[in-house]
Amino acid sequence: MKGAVYMEQAQQILGRGDIILVSSSPKPYGNNEQKGKRPWLVVSQKLLNQTSPFVLAIPFTTTFRKYPLVYNWSANHPNSVTKGVLLCNQLTALDVKNRDWVLLEQVEVPVEVDNIIQAILGYK
């Protein structure tokens, strides 16, 4: 049964604004990257996502963080199914073709998140 779910996921192309529940483990021991199963906000466009096994995504954390490279999702989107803080400085390429994931909801990527990504990558 798990294989059937995987096949359905492999055929589904994720798009910008999809929030998925996925584990990014395994990670190297002792690093500071987000580990374990958690929500991720997909920020890459569907056109890019259909040509690669990877999506660009930002992890959520339930630990409150207050520094310029995070976005407080819960405070700005109280009606969202997903709760927490987006760690925009941990923008990551996730191989969703080879991981089990679940689509939680579809949202608009906030302009503030785009602005943070642009500041990190140095473009506008």
Side-chain angles (χ1 to χ4, degrees):
M1 184 66 172
K2 186 175 181 178
V5 172
Y6 175 77
M7 289 302 293
E8 290 173 18
Q9 290 175 349
Q11 294 173 6
Q12 182 177 354
I13 305 299
L14 291 169
R16 181 175 167 81
D18 287 343
I19 297 179
I20 57 174
L21 182 66
V22 65
S23 176
S24 64
S25 296
K27 293 283 187 177
Y29 176 77
N31 74 6
N32 294 316
E33 295 175 4
Q34 293 300 299
K35 299 172 191 70
K37 190 173 277 192
R38 65 184 58 250
W40 290 74
L41 174 65
V42 176
V43 295
S44 51
Q45 299 290 340
K46 190 174 249 186
L47 181 62
L48 175 68
N49 300 342
Q50 71 187 14
T51 62
S52 167
F54 298 97
V55 298
L56 295 176
I58 300 171
F60 282 85
T61 183
T62 54
T63 304
F64 181 75
R65 308 278 171 88
K66 188 175 180 180
Y67 55 90
L69 302 177
V70 301
Y71 177 79
N72 190 331
W73 187 267
S74 293
N76 291 297
H77 305 275
N79 297 326
S80 176
V81 171
T82 308
K83 304 296 180 204
V85 175
L86 275 170
L87 301 172
C88 299
N89 59 320
Q90 292 193 31
L91 177 67
T92 303
L94 285 177
D95 182 349
V96 294
K97 295 265 196 273
N98 293 299
R99 296 188 198 286
D100 290 330
W101 54 268
V102 175
L103 180 64
L104 297 176
E105 63 182 317
Q106 295 176 314
V107 300
E108 291 291 322
V109 175
V111 172
E112 297 88 347
V113 171
D114 278 335
N115 290 340
I116 294 169
I117 293 169
Q118 289 172 5
I120 291 168
L121 298 178
Y123 73 89
K124 179 123 185 170

